[in-house]
């Protein structure tokens, strides 16, 4: 099974940027990789996806603020997050495609607060 190791994030002020990284241990070049997030008391949702051909999709709530990218040599997917809002506070996870049900990595916490 594929394993994900997410990192980055932390405490960020509203309006600020941060960047998340996700290392995928196998099969990286053939997958559409997605960033998901789960806020307290809410369901996990897809934030952005990137195909093996570098086609990107974004949730409406993050369009124009977040950018997903991938480095096939490093087997890593990034999520550049700009103009952060308190509503972006969540644990962020990597997954495969838009209908992934696990297993999940440990995720990385992003907290947007003054």
């Amino acid at each position: 099974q594929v394993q994900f190791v997410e990192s980055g994030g932390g405490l960020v002020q509203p309006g600020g940027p941060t960047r998340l990284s996700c290392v995928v241990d196998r099969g990286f070049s053939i997958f559409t990789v997605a960033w998901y997030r789960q806020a307290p008391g809410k369901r996990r949702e897809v934030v952005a996806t990137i195909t093996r051909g570098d086609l990107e999709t974004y949730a409406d709530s993050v369009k124009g603020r977040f950018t997903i990218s991938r480095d096939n040599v490093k087997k890593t997917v990034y999520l550049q997050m700009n103009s952060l809002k308190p509503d972006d506070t969540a644990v962020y996870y990597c997954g495969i495609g838009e209908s992934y049900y696990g297993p999940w990595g440990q995720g990385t916490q992003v907290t947007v607060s003054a």
Side-chain angles (χ1 to χ4, degrees):
Q1 63 189 24
V2 180
Q3 293 185 332
F4 306 97
V5 179
E6 301 93 346
S7 61
L11 177 62
V12 186
Q13 290 199 342
T18 194
R19 190 176 81 155
L20 309 182
S21 300
C22 171
V23 178
V24 184
D25 74 331
R26 65 187 67 182
F28 181 82
S29 63
I30 65 173
F31 293 144
T32 291
V33 183
W35 279 101
Y36 291 75
R37 69 183 179 187
Q38 188 167 22
K42 295 187 177 180
R43 297 174 63 180
R44 201 174 320 226
E45 62 176 355
V46 177
V47 174
T49 67
I50 186 165
T51 69
R52 55 187 294 186
D54 291 335
L55 294 177
E56 304 163 26
T57 66
Y58 297 94
D60 287 343
S61 59
V62 306
K63 278 181 182 176
R65 300 188 299 121
F66 291 9
T67 302
I68 189 171
S69 61
R70 63 193 293 163
D71 184 327
N72 290 333
V73 174
K74 295 182 178 179
K75 300 181 181 179
T76 301
V77 176
Y78 303 99
L79 187 67
Q80 178 66 43
M81 306 165 67
N82 297 327
S83 303
L84 281 162
K85 304 175 182 179
D87 284 349
D88 296 317
T89 296
V91 180
Y92 286 72
Y93 302 87
C94 279
I96 301 170
E98 295 185 344
S99 300
Y100 186 70
Y101 294 100
W104 300 96
Q106 83 285 353
T108 187
Q109 175 73 47
V110 175
T111 302
V112 184
S113 174

